[in-house]
mmCIF file of all heavy atoms in Angstrom:
data_model
loop_
_atom_site.group_PDB
_atom_site.id
_atom_site.type_symbol
_atom_site.label_atom_id
_atom_site.label_comp_id
_atom_site.label_asym_id
_atom_site.label_seq_id
_atom_site.Cartn_x
_atom_site.Cartn_y
_atom_site.Cartn_z
ATOM 1 N N VAL R 60 3.921 0.802 4.787
ATOM 2 C CA VAL R 60 5.289 1.486 4.706
ATOM 3 C C VAL R 60 5.265 2.638 5.697
ATOM 4 O O VAL R 60 4.185 3.131 6.138
ATOM 5 C CB VAL R 60 5.554 2.040 3.307
ATOM 6 C CG1 VAL R 60 5.849 0.908 2.357
ATOM 7 C CG2 VAL R 60 4.492 2.973 2.857
ATOM 8 N N ASP R 61 6.456 3.257 5.971
ATOM 9 C CA ASP R 61 6.565 4.562 6.657
ATOM 10 C C ASP R 61 6.376 5.553 5.566
ATOM 11 O O ASP R 61 6.965 5.417 4.453
ATOM 12 C CB ASP R 61 7.874 4.789 7.302
ATOM 13 C CG ASP R 61 8.198 3.947 8.549
ATOM 14 O OD1 ASP R 61 7.221 3.329 8.988
ATOM 15 O OD2 ASP R 61 9.429 3.794 8.944
ATOM 16 N N GLY R 62 5.642 6.630 5.839
ATOM 17 C CA GLY R 62 5.492 7.680 4.795
ATOM 18 C C GLY R 62 4.459 8.697 5.175
ATOM 19 O O GLY R 62 4.202 8.938 6.264
ATOM 20 N N GLU R 63 4.044 9.400 4.123
ATOM 21 C CA GLU R 63 3.044 10.509 4.249
ATOM 22 C C GLU R 63 1.837 10.100 3.433
ATOM 23 O O GLU R 63 1.935 9.677 2.259
ATOM 24 C CB GLU R 63 3.628 11.779 3.759
ATOM 25 C CG GLU R 63 2.715 12.968 3.774
ATOM 26 C CD GLU R 63 3.336 14.228 3.190
ATOM 27 O OE1 GLU R 63 4.453 14.309 2.901
ATOM 28 O OE2 GLU R 63 2.422 15.215 2.972
ATOM 29 N N VAL R 64 0.623 10.335 4.036
ATOM 30 C CA VAL R 64 -0.566 10.172 3.326
ATOM 31 C C VAL R 64 -0.793 11.193 2.275
ATOM 32 O O VAL R 64 -0.862 12.357 2.572
ATOM 33 C CB VAL R 64 -1.795 10.185 4.397
ATOM 34 C CG1 VAL R 64 -3.123 10.021 3.616
ATOM 35 C CG2 VAL R 64 -1.677 9.059 5.336
ATOM 36 N N LEU R 65 -0.821 10.813 0.953
ATOM 37 C CA LEU R 65 -1.007 11.707 -0.077
ATOM 38 C C LEU R 65 -2.445 11.991 -0.351
ATOM 39 O O LEU R 65 -2.842 13.140 -0.558
ATOM 40 C CB LEU R 65 -0.410 11.166 -1.423
ATOM 41 C CG LEU R 65 1.016 11.008 -1.560
ATOM 42 C CD1 LEU R 65 1.422 10.383 -2.800
ATOM 43 C CD2 LEU R 65 1.748 12.397 -1.399
ATOM 44 N N GLN R 66 -3.289 10.929 -0.133
ATOM 45 C CA GLN R 66 -4.727 11.086 -0.356
ATOM 46 C C GLN R 66 -5.493 10.049 0.292
ATOM 47 O O GLN R 66 -5.065 8.855 0.273
ATOM 48 C CB GLN R 66 -5.003 11.099 -1.910
ATOM 49 C CG GLN R 66 -6.538 11.272 -2.244
ATOM 50 C CD GLN R 66 -6.724 11.337 -3.746
ATOM 51 O OE1 GLN R 66 -5.900 10.842 -4.497
ATOM 52 N NE2 GLN R 66 -7.924 11.727 -4.134
ATOM 53 N N VAL R 67 -6.683 10.438 0.876
ATOM 54 C CA VAL R 67 -7.610 9.463 1.313
ATOM 55 C C VAL R 67 -8.791 9.730 0.388
ATOM 56 O O VAL R 67 -9.249 10.899 0.396
ATOM 57 C CB VAL R 67 -8.033 9.568 2.763
ATOM 58 C CG1 VAL R 67 -9.212 8.620 3.103
ATOM 59 C CG2 VAL R 67 -6.822 9.418 3.654
ATOM 60 N N PHE R 68 -9.244 8.810 -0.397
ATOM 61 C CA PHE R 68 -10.347 9.015 -1.353
ATOM 62 C C PHE R 68 -11.551 9.494 -0.586
ATOM 63 O O PHE R 68 -11.813 8.936 0.472
ATOM 64 C CB PHE R 68 -10.575 7.832 -2.177
ATOM 65 C CG PHE R 68 -9.525 7.620 -3.215
ATOM 66 C CD1 PHE R 68 -8.217 7.325 -2.888
ATOM 67 C CD2 PHE R 68 -9.832 7.745 -4.643
ATOM 68 C CE1 PHE R 68 -7.197 7.241 -3.851
ATOM 69 C CE2 PHE R 68 -8.861 7.497 -5.568
ATOM 70 C CZ PHE R 68 -7.542 7.276 -5.159
ATOM 71 N N PRO R 69 -12.414 10.411 -1.152
ATOM 72 C CA PRO R 69 -13.629 10.802 -0.418
ATOM 73 C C PRO R 69 -14.475 9.656 0.014
ATOM 74 O O PRO R 69 -15.156 9.781 1.090
ATOM 75 C CB PRO R 69 -14.308 11.723 -1.458
ATOM 76 C CG PRO R 69 -13.215 12.175 -2.350
ATOM 77 C CD PRO R 69 -12.201 11.044 -2.309
ATOM 78 N N THR R 70 -14.512 8.610 -0.687
ATOM 79 C CA THR R 70 -15.358 7.417 -0.373
ATOM 80 C C THR R 70 -14.655 6.515 0.696
ATOM 81 O O THR R 70 -15.118 5.431 0.955
ATOM 82 C CB THR R 70 -15.764 6.650 -1.578
ATOM 83 O OG1 THR R 70 -14.611 6.438 -2.334
ATOM 84 C CG2 THR R 70 -16.753 7.504 -2.466
ATOM 85 N N LYS R 71 -13.459 6.947 1.044
ATOM 86 C CA LYS R 71 -12.657 6.127 2.062
ATOM 87 C C LYS R 71 -12.215 4.740 1.676
ATOM 88 O O LYS R 71 -11.934 3.901 2.436
ATOM 89 C CB LYS R 71 -13.345 6.175 3.462
ATOM 90 C CG LYS R 71 -13.603 7.614 3.899
ATOM 91 C CD LYS R 71 -14.393 7.641 5.195
ATOM 92 C CE LYS R 71 -14.917 8.970 5.482
ATOM 93 N NZ LYS R 71 -16.257 9.224 5.045
ATOM 94 N N HIS R 72 -12.362 4.362 0.443
ATOM 95 C CA HIS R 72 -12.141 2.974 -0.017
ATOM 96 C C HIS R 72 -10.690 2.715 -0.473
ATOM 97 O O HIS R 72 -10.304 1.704 -0.849
ATOM 98 C CB HIS R 72 -13.044 2.545 -1.162
ATOM 99 C CG HIS R 72 -12.805 3.234 -2.366
ATOM 100 N ND1 HIS R 72 -13.093 4.559 -2.704
ATOM 101 C CD2 HIS R 72 -12.238 2.692 -3.505
ATOM 102 C CE1 HIS R 72 -12.666 4.849 -3.926
ATOM 103 N NE2 HIS R 72 -12.114 3.846 -4.465
ATOM 104 N N ALA R 73 -9.986 3.957 -0.504
ATOM 105 C CA ALA R 73 -8.589 3.848 -1.053
ATOM 106 C C ALA R 73 -7.669 4.930 -0.483
ATOM 107 O O ALA R 73 -8.299 5.950 0.010
ATOM 108 C CB ALA R 73 -8.534 4.012 -2.573
ATOM 109 N N VAL R 74 -6.452 4.676 -0.308
ATOM 110 C CA VAL R 74 -5.556 5.630 0.313
ATOM 111 C C VAL R 74 -4.184 5.594 -0.541
ATOM 112 O O VAL R 74 -3.796 4.449 -0.874
ATOM 113 C CB VAL R 74 -5.340 5.277 1.827
ATOM 114 C CG1 VAL R 74 -4.766 3.863 2.051
ATOM 115 C CG2 VAL R 74 -4.394 6.367 2.431
ATOM 116 N N GLY R 75 -3.540 6.674 -0.647
ATOM 117 C CA GLY R 75 -2.253 6.807 -1.265
ATOM 118 C C GLY R 75 -1.293 7.211 -0.277
ATOM 119 O O GLY R 75 -1.477 8.191 0.423
ATOM 120 N N ILE R 76 -0.002 6.639 -0.315
ATOM 121 C CA ILE R 76 1.060 6.933 0.618
ATOM 122 C C ILE R 76 2.331 7.168 -0.109
ATOM 123 O O ILE R 76 2.671 6.331 -1.099
ATOM 124 C CB ILE R 76 1.257 5.875 1.648
ATOM 125 C CG1 ILE R 76 0.004 5.579 2.450
ATOM 126 C CG2 ILE R 76 2.489 6.163 2.572
ATOM 127 C CD1 ILE R 76 0.006 4.424 3.311
ATOM 128 N N LYS R 77 3.102 8.174 0.149
ATOM 129 C CA LYS R 77 4.409 8.463 -0.413
ATOM 130 C C LYS R 77 5.485 8.047 0.661
ATOM 131 O O LYS R 77 5.473 8.552 1.818
ATOM 132 C CB LYS R 77 4.538 9.822 -0.836
ATOM 133 C CG LYS R 77 5.853 10.195 -1.691
ATOM 134 C CD LYS R 77 5.669 11.578 -2.144
ATOM 135 C CE LYS R 77 6.982 11.772 -3.056
ATOM 136 N NZ LYS R 77 6.938 13.082 -3.716
ATOM 137 N N THR R 78 6.460 7.304 0.192
ATOM 138 C CA THR R 78 7.474 6.840 1.150
ATOM 139 C C THR R 78 8.659 7.847 1.080
ATOM 140 O O THR R 78 8.700 8.764 0.315
ATOM 141 C CB THR R 78 8.113 5.486 0.659
ATOM 142 O OG1 THR R 78 8.792 5.648 -0.547
ATOM 143 C CG2 THR R 78 7.063 4.490 0.553
ATOM 144 N N LYS R 79 9.686 7.770 2.033
ATOM 145 C CA LYS R 79 10.737 8.668 2.103
ATOM 146 C C LYS R 79 11.494 8.689 0.721
ATOM 147 O O LYS R 79 12.122 9.709 0.400
ATOM 148 C CB LYS R 79 11.749 8.242 3.150
ATOM 149 C CG LYS R 79 11.252 8.533 4.545
ATOM 150 C CD LYS R 79 12.385 8.138 5.567
ATOM 151 C CE LYS R 79 11.815 8.338 6.934
ATOM 152 N NZ LYS R 79 12.765 7.809 7.953
ATOM 153 N N SER R 80 11.573 7.490 0.098
ATOM 154 C CA SER R 80 12.325 7.425 -1.146
ATOM 155 C C SER R 80 11.549 8.061 -2.399
ATOM 156 O O SER R 80 12.039 8.039 -3.530
ATOM 157 C CB SER R 80 12.723 5.970 -1.426
ATOM 158 O OG SER R 80 11.571 5.258 -1.714
ATOM 159 N N GLY R 81 10.257 8.362 -2.164
ATOM 160 C CA GLY R 81 9.456 8.915 -3.178
ATOM 161 C C GLY R 81 8.522 7.914 -3.978
ATOM 162 O O GLY R 81 7.746 8.233 -4.801
ATOM 163 N N LEU R 82 8.482 6.706 -3.517
ATOM 164 C CA LEU R 82 7.639 5.740 -4.088
ATOM 165 C C LEU R 82 6.181 6.128 -3.620
ATOM 166 O O LEU R 82 5.896 6.567 -2.538
ATOM 167 C CB LEU R 82 7.949 4.312 -3.706
ATOM 168 C CG LEU R 82 9.137 3.696 -4.220
ATOM 169 C CD1 LEU R 82 9.288 2.192 -3.712
ATOM 170 C CD2 LEU R 82 9.058 3.640 -5.759
ATOM 171 N N GLU R 83 5.234 5.971 -4.566
ATOM 172 C CA GLU R 83 3.789 6.144 -4.211
ATOM 173 C C GLU R 83 3.068 4.860 -4.296
ATOM 174 O O GLU R 83 3.074 4.178 -5.314
ATOM 175 C CB GLU R 83 3.276 7.180 -5.238
ATOM 176 C CG GLU R 83 3.948 8.612 -5.003
ATOM 177 C CD GLU R 83 3.517 9.599 -5.989
ATOM 178 O OE1 GLU R 83 2.593 9.355 -6.892
ATOM 179 O OE2 GLU R 83 4.106 10.680 -6.108
ATOM 180 N N ILE R 84 2.415 4.579 -3.158
ATOM 181 C CA ILE R 84 1.649 3.327 -3.079
ATOM 182 C C ILE R 84 0.190 3.574 -2.858
ATOM 183 O O ILE R 84 -0.151 4.348 -1.974
ATOM 184 C CB ILE R 84 2.313 2.496 -1.979
ATOM 185 C CG1 ILE R 84 3.706 2.168 -2.195
ATOM 186 C CG2 ILE R 84 1.467 1.213 -1.644
ATOM 187 C CD1 ILE R 84 4.543 1.534 -1.032
ATOM 188 N N LEU R 85 -0.585 2.944 -3.731
ATOM 189 C CA LEU R 85 -1.998 3.009 -3.688
ATOM 190 C C LEU R 85 -2.576 1.737 -3.003
ATOM 191 O O LEU R 85 -2.176 0.586 -3.530
ATOM 192 C CB LEU R 85 -2.556 3.238 -4.935
ATOM 193 C CG LEU R 85 -4.181 3.076 -5.073
ATOM 194 C CD1 LEU R 85 -4.820 4.321 -4.365
ATOM 195 C CD2 LEU R 85 -4.629 3.004 -6.578
ATOM 196 N N ILE R 86 -3.391 1.810 -2.003
ATOM 197 C CA ILE R 86 -4.111 0.587 -1.556
ATOM 198 C C ILE R 86 -5.575 0.805 -1.806
ATOM 199 O O ILE R 86 -6.139 1.844 -1.341
ATOM 200 C CB ILE R 86 -3.862 0.476 0.001
ATOM 201 C CG1 ILE R 86 -2.306 0.403 0.251
ATOM 202 C CG2 ILE R 86 -4.423 -0.877 0.485
ATOM 203 C CD1 ILE R 86 -2.006 1.115 1.676
ATOM 204 N N HIS R 87 -6.235 -0.149 -2.601
ATOM 205 C CA HIS R 87 -7.515 0.053 -2.973
ATOM 206 C C HIS R 87 -8.421 -1.078 -2.376
ATOM 207 O O HIS R 87 -8.250 -2.196 -2.876
ATOM 208 C CB HIS R 87 -7.608 0.016 -4.555
ATOM 209 C CG HIS R 87 -8.877 0.448 -5.134
ATOM 210 N ND1 HIS R 87 -9.967 -0.423 -5.091
ATOM 211 C CD2 HIS R 87 -9.323 1.580 -5.791
ATOM 212 C CE1 HIS R 87 -10.983 0.188 -5.722
ATOM 213 N NE2 HIS R 87 -10.639 1.347 -6.070
ATOM 214 N N ILE R 88 -9.185 -0.728 -1.389
ATOM 215 C CA ILE R 88 -9.927 -1.794 -0.652
ATOM 216 C C ILE R 88 -11.042 -2.289 -1.557
ATOM 217 O O ILE R 88 -12.069 -1.493 -1.881
ATOM 218 C CB ILE R 88 -10.485 -1.322 0.558
ATOM 219 C CG1 ILE R 88 -9.363 -0.771 1.507
ATOM 220 C CG2 ILE R 88 -11.305 -2.314 1.410
ATOM 221 C CD1 ILE R 88 -9.848 0.088 2.636
ATOM 222 N N GLY R 89 -10.967 -3.626 -1.952
ATOM 223 C CA GLY R 89 -12.070 -4.137 -2.766
ATOM 224 C C GLY R 89 -12.072 -3.580 -4.175
ATOM 225 O O GLY R 89 -11.360 -2.715 -4.580
ATOM 226 N N LEU R 90 -13.044 -4.177 -4.910
ATOM 227 C CA LEU R 90 -13.197 -3.755 -6.310
ATOM 228 C C LEU R 90 -14.569 -3.258 -6.455
ATOM 229 O O LEU R 90 -15.666 -3.840 -5.885
ATOM 230 C CB LEU R 90 -13.017 -5.010 -7.286
ATOM 231 C CG LEU R 90 -11.666 -5.617 -7.148
ATOM 232 C CD1 LEU R 90 -11.667 -6.893 -8.047
ATOM 233 C CD2 LEU R 90 -10.598 -4.710 -7.485
ATOM 234 N N GLU R 91 -14.730 -2.076 -7.115
ATOM 235 C CA GLU R 91 -16.004 -1.411 -7.406
ATOM 236 C C GLU R 91 -16.576 -0.997 -6.091
ATOM 237 O O GLU R 91 -17.788 -0.777 -5.835
ATOM 238 C CB GLU R 91 -16.919 -2.199 -8.228
ATOM 239 C CG GLU R 91 -16.317 -2.463 -9.613
ATOM 240 C CD GLU R 91 -17.334 -3.222 -10.561
ATOM 241 O OE1 GLU R 91 -18.571 -3.232 -10.250
ATOM 242 O OE2 GLU R 91 -16.891 -3.609 -11.563
ATOM 243 N N THR R 92 -15.714 -0.679 -5.012
ATOM 244 C CA THR R 92 -16.270 -0.175 -3.836
ATOM 245 C C THR R 92 -16.502 1.299 -3.678
ATOM 246 O O THR R 92 -17.222 1.805 -2.897
ATOM 247 C CB THR R 92 -15.163 -0.513 -2.677
ATOM 248 O OG1 THR R 92 -13.869 -0.196 -3.161
ATOM 249 C CG2 THR R 92 -15.132 -1.866 -2.305
#
Side-chain angles (χ1 to χ4, degrees):
V60 292
D61 290 349
E63 179 184 346
V64 176
L65 290 177
Q66 181 179 18
V67 177
F68 286 62
T70 51
K71 303 176 194 94
H72 73 285
V74 61
I76 301 171
K77 186 173 187 173
T78 68
K79 285 181 185 179
S80 66
L82 287 180
E83 295 175 4
I84 298 172
L85 170 71
I86 309 146
H87 190 284
I88 302 167
L90 303 177
E91 298 184 15
T92 44

